[in-house]
Amino acid sequence: MFNRIRRLRQVAAIASISSLVAGCGVLSSDSTEEAGPIVVGTTAAPSTLDPAASWDSSWELFRNIYQTLLSYPSGATAPEPDAAEGCRFTDTTNMKYECELREGLTFSDGHALDAKAVKHSIDRIRKINVNGGPAGLLGSLERVQVLNDREIVFHLNKADATFPFVLATPAMSIVDPEDYPADKLREEESVVGSGPYTLSSYDDGKAELVKNDTYKGLLERKNNAVTIRYFQDSPTMVGALRDKQLDVAFRGLAADDIVDIQADDDDELQLIEGSGTEINYLVFNPKDPMAGKAAVRKAIAQVVDRPAIAHKVYKDTVEPLYSMVPKGLTGHTTGFFDDYGEPSTAKAREILTDAGITTPVDLTLWYTSDRYGSATKAEFEELKRQLDGSGLFDITLKSRPWKTYVAGYQEGEYPVFGRGWFPDFPDADNFIAPFVGEQNALGTPYLVPKITETLLPNSRAQSDRANVVKDFEDAQRILVDDVRLLPLWQGRQYVAASAEVSGAERALDPSTIMMVGELSRKTSW
């Protein structure tokens, strides 16, 4: 929930991202008749335009140009039918899920969107099987059956109450079989979709979206066009917002810029702040000579000072995180704090000595230079300062832009690397399942049979998510013991917008993906 009410340039922004209730705009009326497109800035540029290749924030764009069977209308915390007219489990074991499509659906090229297109879209994800791609979300899917032009059945190989949430992720975007090959990724830098907008042009710096007049779905668009501009850093993005080159800035706002906007006392900008489930963490490569040693990982866990990172680097716009499952979700624990307590060089030295490891330990930490905001570099410099300062480590820092960074960790090149995670859906399952198994979102196999074969299947058999706490607590216990993943902080959500813009507080779905159709300009005060 929003935990503060701020007077920002005389604009009060009070809202809740978790419940996405309506707010702001009480002094104005909205209109879709605008002089030009709404311009949104972000630091999260897509890594691909093909849904079969992406398990990252490319979804930010996908949500607005492709369509899924289910989606999230404003105010919803559970998925509702979008391309589908209705969906439901048709058995009592959560193993048979059936959807019926809306009548008359078409892609932007005029081709019909039918049940065969849905099957094609889901099947190609698994057939292409991109390393670190979304095929890992479909582990419970046995096969897809087409009944007729509008009806389709998903047969699962195990009970999975989270399957509707999976279908609502932009990874499950429906694509035209005539334009998207069944056995390889589409290479063209264009999109054939059926979403609320069509992609009229795209390059690495900008995506231009135009309202799709043939869209049939649950989303109501409050504008006719949106331009998304991709920035390398927060200061440049916020500068563009202040210069009125942007209407909205989201994803990648640096702490310094957030604090500066909060301190402003005129009436040109509004800042919407809400709780979030974004997390940031380190990944250890088990094949690396040093990062593969449990004692090295545990010593790092013992040295890292999360509150210092949150305060010094992020100016308390994030909070320390001691579990892969963030606060606010059923099943959250504080396992890393329970085991390691306050940072201690003495305890870390004892861990390494007992394992016979000579210090200082040489390690290279990798981070992406353009994905999670400009504070990432400062965060890793602080991590280096802490680890080197213990005298137990000699840390080298290296970075790459996101597109080449992904290839590096998928090929096992990095000993230790940083990742952020924006949830696919708001359930503890989505903070554990994507990171384990032979194929996962990290491109680094992490085989944990207890989790993948027992705990996750047990939890997915429960439609009532209040009954899954013990399973997720046990799964987190395993993650803490292994220290293959080291959670660092949990973020809040911030959207900065011109005071002339309405809808920013309604524009984030439960996985904090921006639905740009909610944005509009105020026509009166």
Side-chain angles (χ1 to χ4, degrees):
M1 296 292 294
F2 284 93
N3 50 25
R4 282 176 279 185
I5 300 174
R6 300 190 177 280
R7 187 170 182 80
L8 302 168
R9 301 189 174 192
Q10 309 301 320
V11 177
I14 308 172
S16 169
I17 286 176
S18 61
S19 60
L20 303 179
V21 296
C24 282
V26 293
L27 301 178
S28 68
S29 59
D30 299 333
S31 172
T32 59
E33 299 299 325
E34 295 154 346
I38 297 287
V39 184
V40 177
T42 176
T43 62
S47 60
T48 177
L49 293 181
D50 191 328
S54 171
W55 200 347
D56 59 28
S57 55
S58 300
W59 290 8
E60 206 74 77
L61 181 60
F62 294 173
R63 173 62 77 203
N64 297 290
I65 57 178
Y66 291 106
Q67 196 172 14
T68 46
L69 288 170
L70 301 104
S71 187
Y72 296 95
S74 181
T77 56
E80 297 183 14
D82 186 6
E85 187 172 275
C87 293
R88 65 190 180 96
F89 280 106
T90 58
D91 63 345
T92 58
T93 60
N94 292 338
M95 292 181 65
K96 188 177 179 182
Y97 195 71
E98 185 169 337
C99 292
E100 181 177 5
L101 294 172
R102 295 176 188 265
E103 288 190 54
L105 292 175
T106 60
F107 291 105
S108 56
D109 60 2
H111 295 160
L113 191 166
D114 56 16
K116 290 181 180 179
V118 175
K119 175 177 170 57
H120 171 85
S121 302
I122 304 300
D123 285 349
R124 73 186 291 266
I125 293 172
R126 297 199 296 176
K127 186 167 187 176
I128 297 172
N129 197 22
V130 172
N131 185 26
L137 286 167
L138 295 170
S140 64
L141 179 63
E142 180 68 31
R143 63 186 176 94
V144 184
Q145 178 188 12
V146 172
L147 298 182
N148 52 52
D149 284 349
R150 292 179 55 203
E151 292 182 290
I152 191 163
V153 181
F154 299 92
H155 297 272
L156 308 184
N157 53 37
K158 64 191 83 171
D160 188 358
T162 71
F163 190 72
F165 290 91
V166 172
L167 289 180
T169 67
M172 305 300 138
S173 295
I174 305 168
V175 298
D176 189 341
E178 296 190 39
D179 291 284
Y180 292 76
D183 56 357
K184 65 179 181 178
L185 297 176
R186 189 170 189 262
E187 297 179 357
E188 293 86 348
E189 288 200 346
S190 62
V191 165
V192 180
S194 62
Y197 295 87
T198 58
L199 184 65
S200 63
S201 68
Y202 173 81
D203 59 38
D204 285 343
K206 184 169 62 175
E208 294 184 355
L209 281 58
V210 178
K211 186 177 180 181
N212 180 7
D213 291 330
T214 64
Y215 168 71
K216 294 182 179 181
L218 60 83
L219 301 180
E220 296 183 7
R221 294 149 298 178
K222 298 178 173 63
N223 59 66
N224 291 320
V226 176
T227 295
I228 303 175
R229 290 182 55 190
Y230 300 108
F231 291 84
Q232 294 294 317
D233 59 73
S234 175
T236 305
M237 179 170 66
V238 172
L241 179 66
R242 292 187 184 279
D243 291 341
K244 301 186 183 300
Q245 299 172 27
L246 297 180
D247 296 299
V248 178
F250 170 66
R251 193 75 79 198
L253 287 168
D256 286 340
D257 291 315
I258 292 169
V259 171
D260 286 347
I261 295 173
Q262 288 172 335
D264 287 340
D265 58 3
D266 57 45
D267 59 357
E268 294 183 0
L269 292 184
Q270 54 180 318
L271 184 73
I272 297 99
E273 175 192 348
S275 61
T277 50
E278 168 195 359
I279 68 170
N280 184 274
Y281 57 97
L282 294 178
V283 183
F284 295 90
N285 185 345
K287 295 183 179 180
D288 182 79
M290 281 296 145
K293 298 179 183 294
V296 170
R297 302 194 298 267
K298 291 180 179 181
I300 291 175
Q302 186 62 73
V303 170
V304 167
D305 187 341
R306 294 171 179 82
I309 294 171
H311 181 68
K312 294 170 63 175
V313 177
Y314 291 98
K315 309 298 177 62
D316 299 316
T317 60
V318 305
E319 56 185 311
L321 180 65
Y322 297 94
S323 165
M324 289 300 289
V325 176
K327 291 172 60 177
L329 293 184
T330 299
H332 166 74
T333 68
T334 56
F336 278 95
F337 185 83
D338 298 340
D339 278 22
Y340 296 98
E342 299 295 335
S344 170
T345 295
K347 291 180 180 178
R349 180 178 290 109
E350 183 178 354
I351 292 171
L352 294 172
T353 300
D354 289 348
I357 295 173
T358 303
T359 59
V361 175
D362 292 327
L363 269 181
T364 300
L365 272 58
W366 283 82
Y367 63 94
T368 176
S369 58
D370 62 353
R371 169 60 55 165
Y372 305 119
S374 50
T376 304
K377 182 175 185 290
E379 175 184 350
F380 274 75
E381 288 172 344
E382 172 62 18
L383 283 168
K384 173 178 168 60
R385 188 196 67 78
Q386 293 177 10
L387 294 170
D388 286 354
S390 71
L392 304 175
F393 297 92
D394 186 0
I395 300 299
T396 300
L397 297 181
K398 291 186 179 182
S399 67
R400 284 177 179 167
W402 178 252
K403 287 186 178 181
T404 53
Y405 183 75
V406 172
Y409 71 66
Q410 289 178 346
E411 293 169 4
E413 184 178 342
Y414 312 145
V416 186
F417 60 96
R419 278 295 308 266
W421 184 253
F422 303 98
D424 306 327
F425 50 86
D427 190 280
D429 181 287
N430 195 237
F431 290 87
I432 295 175
F435 309 128
V436 297
E438 178 65 34
Q439 183 182 57
N440 58 52
L442 303 173
T444 303
Y446 183 12
L447 303 181
V448 199
K450 175 68 173 178
I451 294 179
T452 57
E453 297 175 14
T454 301
L455 298 176
L456 288 176
N458 286 349
S459 69
R460 289 171 176 174
Q462 296 291 334
S463 297
D464 185 349
R465 305 309 282 165
N467 295 330
V468 301
V469 173
K470 181 63 166 57
D471 291 321
F472 288 132
E473 288 177 345
D474 290 349
Q476 289 171 91
R477 178 71 262 160
I478 294 170
L479 298 183
V480 171
D481 290 343
D482 290 348
V483 201
R484 283 278 303 277
L485 307 168
L486 185 64
L488 297 175
W489 52 260
Q490 174 177 349
R492 302 186 183 101
Q493 295 302 317
Y494 294 90
V495 179
S498 162
E500 299 173 357
V501 170
S502 287
E505 74 287 345
R506 298 188 301 269
L508 302 181
D509 76 5
S511 56
T512 70
I513 290 175
M514 179 167 281
M515 300 179 293
V516 297
E518 291 288 345
L519 303 172
S520 63
R521 290 196 177 91
K522 300 174 182 177
T523 57
S524 64
W525 284 90

